[in-house]
Amino acid sequence: FPVTIFPDLVLALSIMHHLPGKTADWIQEFKAIGDFTIVEFALDDSARAVTKKDYEIPKGAKILGHSESHLSDSIKRPILALCK
């Protein structure tokens, strides 16, 4: 990623598993809004994430790091960067 000020940044932190419909559709909408999208994905620590059928890390995503889950001390949630 370029080392510049991000003109349009979308933060989708720990919300993907709460959104209805297809995860891939939401990712595309977020990418359409801003030049950069930062997404945090809940994992097995969330019953909602486990039950979503298309809930997967998108191709081309860069893993920035991991955050601690508020539901489980043993789970680290991936934080991803996506570009348009």
Side-chain angles (χ1 to χ4, degrees):
F1 296 101
V3 182
T4 60
I5 296 172
F6 298 144
D8 292 309
L9 176 64
V10 176
L11 296 175
L13 303 177
S14 194
I15 65 164
M16 297 305 300
H17 58 292
H18 292 286
L19 299 173
K22 295 181 178 181
T23 301
D25 292 344
W26 282 102
I27 293 289
Q28 289 304 323
E29 291 299 321
F30 290 143
K31 286 172 68 176
I33 294 170
D35 294 333
F36 299 93
T37 302
I38 307 294
V39 180
E40 177 188 13
F41 270 80
L43 299 175
D44 291 346
D45 57 324
S46 170
R48 289 183 185 179
V50 172
T51 60
K52 287 187 77 87
K53 293 182 177 153
D54 71 333
Y55 190 74
E56 59 188 31
I57 293 173
K59 291 179 179 158
K62 305 287 185 197
I63 297 178
L64 298 176
H66 294 82
S67 64
E68 294 184 12
S69 168
H70 63 282
L71 300 173
S72 173
D73 292 336
S74 63
I75 299 285
K76 302 289 185 203
R77 294 177 170 185
I79 299 175
L80 314 169
L82 302 154
C83 295
K84 265 190 180 177

